[in-house]
Amino acid sequence: MSLEFKNVSHGYGGLEVLKDVRFNAEPGRITVLLGPSGCGKSTLLKLAAGFERPAAGSVCFDERPVTGPGAERGMMFQTPVLFDWLTAAGNVAFGLRQAGVRGKEQQERVDRFMELTGLSDFRDYYPSALSGGMQQRTALARLLVMEPQCLLMDEPFAALDAQLRPKMQSLVLSVWQDLRPTVLFVTHDVEEALVLGHRILVFSKRPGQIVREIEREFEKRDPLEQLMDPDFGKEKRNILEILRDL
Ligand SMILES: Nc1ncnc2c1ncn2[C@@H]1O[C@H](COP(=O)(O)OP(=O)(O)OP(=O)(O)O)[C@@H](O)[C@H]1O
Ligand SMILES: [Mg+2]
């Protein structure tokens, strides 16, 4: 199902943050947003999640205007937002419980995503006792376990080390392969944008507008394999040059 931004403008007080942004995050594809700090990327995701309403224009999911948060659109924030009174496993189970998924099925789904995010040994830890990267992975498990039709991910792997990052990217790709959700993914990392994105939208400085669109291959391979591709460096350089000239 597509997530469409129709002439969206937004700001805070006198600050113009997004200006006439138009694009369609196509159904079942990963659209990556890349752009300078403060250009409005997180703001765009908050509009898609329905936490804020645009000052002008509209955001539609599955052709219906987004008027508030909804379970079909799952969001992962730039800094992990966890319930600090619940354990890691409790956080991952929270949405399932709300959705009426209980008992064995709940347990199995939670276990599966704790395992896939490498958190099995920390399932009974409270967020305050988890490292930043573990908190972020808990938030990832909590998002993926719900199998939303639309994933809104705001720099989810920025705090992860070089070993974990490709693992989590692989996880996102494999979940995408299974369920084909519509994904809107924000990153600062050009390599991550290339590895994950079917389409990369480069934003200008604030007020954010789309200045470039880059199409990537549709069927995604393993992140490390993509990095080894001889053309990868060229594509990375291309994008770095676009960003430099903004
Ligand atoms: N709730 C708010 N109230 C006032 N100003 C805000 C609010 N949220 C964001 N802004 C401002 O809007 C602009 C865009 O912020 P946003 O978080 O969308 O940027 P970003 O592109 O995600 O940046 P970064 O890459 O650093 O995360 C910034 O100048 C920020 O100060
Ligand atoms: Mg941001």
Side-chain angles (χ1 to χ4, degrees):
M1 284 160 216
S2 70
L3 177 69
E4 204 174 353
F5 290 79
K6 298 177 180 172
N7 307 85
V8 169
S9 298
H10 199 59
Y12 299 98
L15 191 76
E16 199 181 19
V17 174
L18 295 167
K19 193 172 175 182
D20 199 24
V21 173
R22 285 170 252 187
F23 71 94
N24 187 5
E26 288 155 10
R29 300 187 85 196
I30 302 175
T31 301
V32 171
L33 309 180
L34 201 60
S37 180
C39 77
K41 303 178 297 297
S42 296
T43 303
L44 260 181
L45 288 200
K46 284 181 213 156
L47 295 172
F51 296 133
E52 290 183 27
R53 300 286 296 275
S58 63
V59 183
C60 292
F61 181 63
D62 194 20
E63 304 192 351
R64 282 188 296 268
V66 169
T67 55
E72 73 287 358
R73 286 165 285 116
M75 170 121 178
M76 189 171 162
F77 297 89
Q78 196 164 351
T79 44
V81 182
L82 298 172
F83 301 123
D84 53 15
W85 63 93
L86 293 175
T87 62
N91 269 279
V92 177
F94 185 84
L96 291 175
R97 204 162 44 237
Q98 297 284 97
V101 180
R102 287 161 201 270
K104 196 157 168 259
E105 189 192 345
Q106 184 192 98
Q107 175 95 24
E108 278 170 7
R109 281 170 71 174
V110 170
D111 287 350
R112 177 158 167 256
F113 281 96
M114 298 300 287
E115 164 107 48
L116 286 169
T117 49
L119 291 167
S120 298
D121 292 345
F122 295 90
R123 48 177 305 125
D124 299 328
Y125 280 55
Y126 286 90
S128 59
L130 296 172
S131 72
M134 288 172 182
Q135 291 177 23
Q136 207 49 307
R137 282 182 282 145
T138 306
L140 177 66
R142 186 179 61 178
L143 172 72
L144 297 180
V145 80
M146 297 302 292
E147 304 187 346
Q149 293 162 330
C150 176
L151 299 175
L152 304 165
M153 306 178 78
D154 197 355
E155 302 196 38
F157 308 141
L160 300 185
D161 64 45
Q163 219 180 342
L164 269 174
R165 197 177 297 191
K167 283 191 187 151
M168 295 303 111
Q169 290 166 345
S170 289
L171 175 57
V172 168
L173 286 177
S174 81
V175 167
W176 171 79
Q177 226 123 27
D178 284 349
L179 303 170
R180 306 276 163 156
T182 303
V183 184
L184 199 52
F185 191 105
V186 172
T187 183
H188 268 120
D189 181 338
V190 174
E191 286 188 358
E192 182 164 79
L194 286 165
V195 161
L196 293 180
H198 297 121
R199 187 156 62 126
I200 301 169
L201 303 177
V202 183
F203 279 76
S204 66
K205 287 195 186 121
R206 185 174 53 78
Q209 282 184 305
I210 297 170
V211 288
R212 282 291 271 276
E213 283 189 38
I214 297 144
E215 290 287 332
R216 299 276 296 156
E217 62 187 291
F218 190 71
E219 287 309 326
K220 288 283 177 186
R221 290 169 293 141
D222 175 71
L224 290 176
E225 208 180 297
Q226 290 193 58
L227 288 173
M228 305 293 265
D229 191 304
D231 286 335
F232 195 88
K234 211 161 59 192
E235 294 184 69
K236 180 176 169 185
R237 190 178 156 168
N238 215 344
I239 296 184
L240 286 171
E241 277 171 2
I242 296 170
L243 292 173
R244 183 194 58 195
D245 295 340
L246 284 179

